[in-house]
């Protein structure tokens, strides 16, 4: 079954990037000239997604404004002959069918996904974490959707992390399937060093069947008193198995300070307008470090 729906949980408090994220959602922090959420929506659309639900909360309205018409600005751009910019901002408002729902309390990623139940219905759906921007010529979400369509099992985006990092992430038990595809049969969240199953962790993207809602309904709050999506995924892994896709692409964690800087520099280096100048600047700066 073709995956055409996606949800973007973007209702977190973003405490790791305070005070920047106090009045501006971290999903609106820019990478060069586009906010993080735009990269994520574009990736979904390039992956074949037509309907997107963004999970928001109080204070996240700049995201809604970003994908909405802006008549005054549009008229000003037209009047001053800036047709290219006008086209860009108007096209953005037609990029997909984007809807919003508020997560009324910040009760965790699992609870945020739960808020999408009426939107999802009985269809499979992609989840693109609102603070994970993945840059790739082959959209990462699409790589997962194609695997879901082939195997019909929950599919998770996976990447190897360091032995130190895995203690803070989820560690997956994996068996090779083919190429960059794996079967995932077990997982453990924040393992002790002797509990690590592999250095593979779930990062940034997954595609889930609607049966996840039945599991989430019975998932008790876990770490930090929040309803964890990984606790629900664990049940799927142990009962029917999941597919892991070691996706091709570079992931930037926009929920942490270093990730934001890395994204700006690396995306900036490839940017047609500023790439060359930025390269020269960095080379000169490096000499002084
Ligand atoms: P994070 O745990 O990285 O986001 O959640 P956070 O809570 O904003 O981060 P810190 O730790 O306070 O800095 C991963 C994704 O899930 C969303 C976040 O917006 C982020 O995109 N999320 C998290 C929700 O939508 N609702 C929640 O209750 C928790």
């Amino acid at each position: 079954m073709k995956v055409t729906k996606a949800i973007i949980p973007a209702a977190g408090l973003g405490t790791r990037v305070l005070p920047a994220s106090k009045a501006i959602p971290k999903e609106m922090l820019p990478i060069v000239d586009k906010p993080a959420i735009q990269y994520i929506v574009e990736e979904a659309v390039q992956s074949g997604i037509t309907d997107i639900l963004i999970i928001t909360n109080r204070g996240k309205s700049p995201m809604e404004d970003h994908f909405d018409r802006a008549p005054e600005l549009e008229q000003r751009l037209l009047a001053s002959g800036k047709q290219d910019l006008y086209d860009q901002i108007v096209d953005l408002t037609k990029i997909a069918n984007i809807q919003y729902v508020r997560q009324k309390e910040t009760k965790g990623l699992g609870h945020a996904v739960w808020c999408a139940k009426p939107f999802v219905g009985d269809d499979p759906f992609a989840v693109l974490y609102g603070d994970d921007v993945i840059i790739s010529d082959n959209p990462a979400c699409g790589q997962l959707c194609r695997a879901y369509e082939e195997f019909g099992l929950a599919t998770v985006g996976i990447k190897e992390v360091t032995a130190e990092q895995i203690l803070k992430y989820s560690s997956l038990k994996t068996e090779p399937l083919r190429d960059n595809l794996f079967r995932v049969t077990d997982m453990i969240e924040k393992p002790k060093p002797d509990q690590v199953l592999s250095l593979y962790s779930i990062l940034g993207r997954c595609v889930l069947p609607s049966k996840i809602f039945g599991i989430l309904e019975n998932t008790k709050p876990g770490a930090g008193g929040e309803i964890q999506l990984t606790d629900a995924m664990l049940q799927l892994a142990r009962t029917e198995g999941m597919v892991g896709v070691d996706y091709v692409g570079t992931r930037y964690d926009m929920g942490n300070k270093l990730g934001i800087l890395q994204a700006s520099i690396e995306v900036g280096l490839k940017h047609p307008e500023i790439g060359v100048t930025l390269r020269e600047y960095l080379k000169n700066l490096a000499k002084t470090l």
Side-chain angles (χ1 to χ4, degrees):
M1 184 178 187
K2 200 160 163 26
V3 183
T4 59
K5 289 183 180 172
I7 69 169
I8 304 178
L13 298 176
T15 53
R16 284 167 299 152
V17 286
L18 280 170
S21 54
K22 187 181 171 206
I24 299 171
K26 64 178 168 178
E27 296 79 9
M28 285 302 290
L29 295 176
I31 306 176
V32 189
D33 51 5
K34 294 192 276 189
I37 189 83
Q38 187 176 336
Y39 288 88
I40 296 173
V41 165
E42 286 174 350
E43 176 196 327
V45 170
Q46 286 157 12
S47 303
I49 299 294
T50 52
D51 298 274
I52 297 174
L53 180 75
I54 303 182
I55 320 286
T56 67
N57 64 14
R58 289 172 301 281
K60 300 269 184 173
S61 50
M63 275 191 286
E64 297 184 39
D65 296 340
H66 187 67
F67 294 100
D68 198 0
R69 297 293 296 261
E72 259 184 31
L73 174 66
E74 290 166 19
Q75 272 170 21
R76 181 66 62 89
L77 289 174
L78 276 183
S80 54
K82 295 186 174 142
Q83 185 71 40
D84 276 5
L85 271 178
Y86 171 86
D87 291 343
Q88 264 187 49
I89 67 154
V90 173
D91 287 351
L92 186 59
T93 66
K94 304 179 197 154
I95 187 167
N97 168 26
I98 304 181
Q99 304 174 34
Y100 305 86
V101 68
R102 279 191 180 201
Q103 183 188 19
K104 296 194 181 71
E105 289 174 87
T106 313
K107 288 204 226 160
L109 182 57
H111 180 258
V113 170
W114 167 255
C115 297
K117 190 171 183 255
F119 165 82
V120 166
D122 295 327
D123 299 321
F125 62 103
V127 184
L128 297 93
Y129 299 16
D131 53 2
D132 278 320
V133 169
I134 302 177
I135 304 290
S136 179
D137 291 337
N138 180 3
C141 172
Q143 297 174 47
L144 268 69
C145 290
R146 303 299 87 78
Y148 183 93
E149 286 155 12
E150 181 177 347
F151 296 97
L153 291 173
T155 301
V156 287
I158 63 173
K159 282 276 165 210
E160 275 187 306
V161 299
T162 63
E164 199 179 294
Q165 287 169 325
I166 199 72
L167 309 179
K168 291 184 260 161
Y169 291 54
S170 55
S171 168
L172 307 179
K173 187 172 176 193
T174 57
E175 294 159 24
L177 263 175
R178 70 157 199 260
D179 308 324
N180 60 343
L181 302 184
F182 296 80
R183 203 176 165 76
V184 177
T185 52
D186 203 357
M187 55 197 271
I188 175 163
E189 187 68 14
K190 299 197 175 56
K192 304 242 156 33
D194 61 342
Q195 295 174 315
V196 170
L197 300 169
S198 78
L199 293 181
Y200 270 118
S201 189
I202 301 175
L203 288 184
R205 305 284 179 267
C206 56
V207 178
L208 298 170
S210 59
K211 72 172 84 152
I212 195 80
F213 292 111
I215 303 175
L216 278 172
E217 208 168 85
N218 297 309
T219 302
K220 303 255 166 336
E226 298 193 333
I227 297 176
Q228 303 290 339
L229 182 60
T230 42
D231 286 344
M233 286 174 166
L234 172 67
Q235 279 204 40
L236 285 180
R238 287 194 179 153
T239 50
E240 52 187 52
M242 302 196 293
V243 174
V245 181
D246 185 353
Y247 54 80
V248 182
T250 309
R251 169 184 164 267
Y252 299 103
D253 181 359
M254 294 296 288
N256 98 43
K257 299 176 182 80
L258 186 62
I260 296 171
L261 286 175
Q262 286 167 329
S264 291
I265 294 170
E266 293 184 22
V267 174
L269 282 170
K270 290 192 204 131
H271 194 278
E273 199 180 310
I274 58 155
V276 174
T277 325
L278 179 62
R279 183 172 305 273
E280 282 312 305
Y281 166 73
L282 287 176
K283 277 186 183 163
N284 286 329
L285 182 67
K287 287 182 204 150
T288 68
L289 301 177

